[in-house]
Each structure stands twice: as structure tokens, then as C-alpha cells.
Amino acid sequence: QVQLTESGGDSVQASGSLRLSCAASGNIDEYCMGWFRQGTESEREGVATIGREGATMYRDSVKGRFTISRDNAKNTLYLQMNNLEPEDSAKYYCSARLCPPMRVPILSSREFDQWGQGTQVTVSG
């Protein structure tokens, strides 16, 4: 198992950008990974996921604005968020799970069994 630590959350104006990072404590080559978010009065929802080979899945509301990527050499997952909207305000969580090759995890928290502590993103305007 790996421990996950998110960073990069901040308060920004609408239309601004942020890049979230998730540093893993060990090798992530054999892990599927994802980003989820949870607002103060909402359930945790999937934002984006990425398989071992880099195949991705996004929730509809972030397509074209967010990009998930991974750097296995650095054991790090990223989420580039552009054109942010107030509705994107939430605590963002990194997730991981050992998975077989070619699998693209769906946007469900049941797909993952390891979680970081989260980083807060607040979008105003």
C-alpha cells in the first residue's frame, strides 16, 4: 500500500487555474489512481481517473477544463484545473488502488481503497 498526500489547493477567482499534486509514498506503477471531491453539503464524487497506461475518464462537468496525469518516475499524480467555476469548490481527494493492466477505473469511490487527507479548493466570483 501507499500513503497519499495532496497539495496545491487554494482560494482563487472564477476562471482561474490550479494544479493539484498527490505524492505517493511508494511506487505507483501498478496502481490505478483518481481524484474525487466533496463539498460541504454533498457526497463525494468522482472527478477524474487514470489507469496504469494513462487512459483517463472525467466527469462531464470538468471535461475540457481539467486534466489528470501521472508521473510514475516521481510517484506523483496531478490534476490541472483551468477555467475554474464556483461549483468546483470542494475538498479534493487523491485515491489509489492496485489494478490490472489496461483497466480504466470508473468514477466511483468503490473503485479505490486508499485515500489521502484532501486539499481544499475554493473558487469565488
Side-chain angles (χ1 to χ4, degrees), residues 48-115:
T49 61
I50 187 167
R52 289 171 55 171
E53 295 80 13
T56 58
M57 185 174 292
Y58 295 92
R59 74 181 296 106
D60 287 346
S61 64
V62 308
K63 286 179 181 177
R65 300 189 298 123
F66 291 11
T67 303
I68 188 171
S69 62
R70 60 192 296 161
D71 186 338
N72 289 356
K74 296 181 178 179
N75 296 325
T76 302
L77 177 73
Y78 301 100
L79 184 68
Q80 178 66 45
M81 305 187 295
N82 297 327
N83 195 20
L84 282 159
E85 303 170 350
E87 293 73 22
D88 296 317
S89 296
K91 195 165 190 178
Y92 284 70
Y93 296 88
C94 173
S95 59
R97 182 171 187 156
L98 287 169
C99 70
M102 305 305 293
R103 178 169 177 78
V104 181
I106 63 173
L107 295 168
S108 170
S109 58
R110 292 189 295 273
E111 286 278 289
F112 298 92
D113 57 7
Q114 296 174 60
W115 297 86

